[in-house]
Amino acid sequence: MALGFALLIAPNFALGQDAASCFDGTAAVHHALGESPETLPTGVGVFDMPDLGAAGLTVHYARPAGFSSTSPILLVLPGAGRNSGDYRDAWIEAACASGALVAALGYPEEQYDFAAYNMGGTIANLQFDEPGFARVSENATTITLEDADIRFDAVTQRADWIFDDFDRVFEHLVQATASEQDTYDVFGHSAGGQILHRFALFAPQSKARVIIAANAGFYTFPDFSQALPTGLQGTGLTEADLSRAFGARLVVMLGALDNDDAAGGTLLHTPHIDRLQGLGRLDRGQSFFEHARDEAARIETAFHWQIDVIDGVGHDYRAMSAAAAEYLARLAD
């Protein structure tokens, strides 16, 4: 990544060592640490946390030499490609410049399908009957079907959702690095953005300080008149939970050019989702935010969510990572 990206860093991401020399010769400092290591050495590396979720997860991390007990910690959720190593690498220069610890979470697709990953485990036994798949560009696909052709079971047991994994990964990182942090920031793009806006709704008691959900494909609205996957009816959540969720710092981050089927990634179309949320990711994110703002006003609670539309960017996780770092930097102003 360019140094210009490295300068767009989070509020406690005070500039430290020269980013260009931070991981000079990355292969030489790469650590394969096995399962749940007790310490996290300086460098880039990977380890497994087999006790999390239904089937465990892999953590790709970057710990620069400038990391200290007061340095910030950032978790990253990748898109549908589950390429957590690539997502970690997109933040390396920012980590080098700031001394921050970055940890990208990899949920294997073989064990975590759309229901378990994108939906955060809030549904199970998902089936699409007679879906229509279309390759609309080199890196973009659409899935089109009728709403009645989506079948699943709602999951109301919190322990079966993946959202608590994030606090547990953070707690492990704190122990393994002797960190004094008690909160973390988290960024997710595409499928990762789907997870994180649901994380804000379903786990408002988490230790997350800032939640940045970027370029999500479709949304679960804070609406008790609609059932999953587009609403909260039957989830066990209450208006008190919703009030607490609206008090969190969720940033709905959208690429201004990510409003077309061909922009990239996989986009789900059904008559209900298209009518309620819009046809493209930009429209859908704006609809979600506006609906949430109106719902907060209806239940007369504080609303701390924000929306940030990034000019000139489409469905690009590296560009959105840079925009997320810039947003975090602005919080210090």
Side-chain angles (χ1 to χ4, degrees), residues 249-270:
R249 189 187 289 273
L250 170 67
V251 182
V252 180
M253 186 166 285
L254 308 169
L257 304 182
D258 195 8
N259 208 37
D260 185 277
D261 284 348
T266 301
L267 201 59
L268 176 65
H269 289 288
T270 76

Side-chain angles (χ1 to χ4, degrees), residues 40-56:
L40 206 65
T42 297
V44 297
V46 61
F47 62 90
D48 296 320
M49 298 192 71
D51 296 332
L52 294 190

Side-chain angles (χ1 to χ4, degrees), residues 212-229:
I212 302 179
N215 286 349
F218 85 101
Y219 293 81
T220 296
F221 278 25
D223 189 333
F224 291 107
S225 69
Q226 300 181 55
L228 286 167

Side-chain angles (χ1 to χ4, degrees), residues 74-79 87 91 117 185-197 210-216 251 253 317 320-321 324:
L74 174 74
L75 303 187
V76 177
L77 275 294
Y87 272 74
W91 286 84
Y117 190 65
D185 299 328
V186 57
F187 166 82
H189 178 261
S190 195
Q194 289 200 41
I195 295 168
L196 290 187
H197 86 272
V210 180
I211 303 167
I212 302 179
N215 286 349
V251 182
M253 186 166 285
Y317 75 89
M320 294 303 284
S321 294

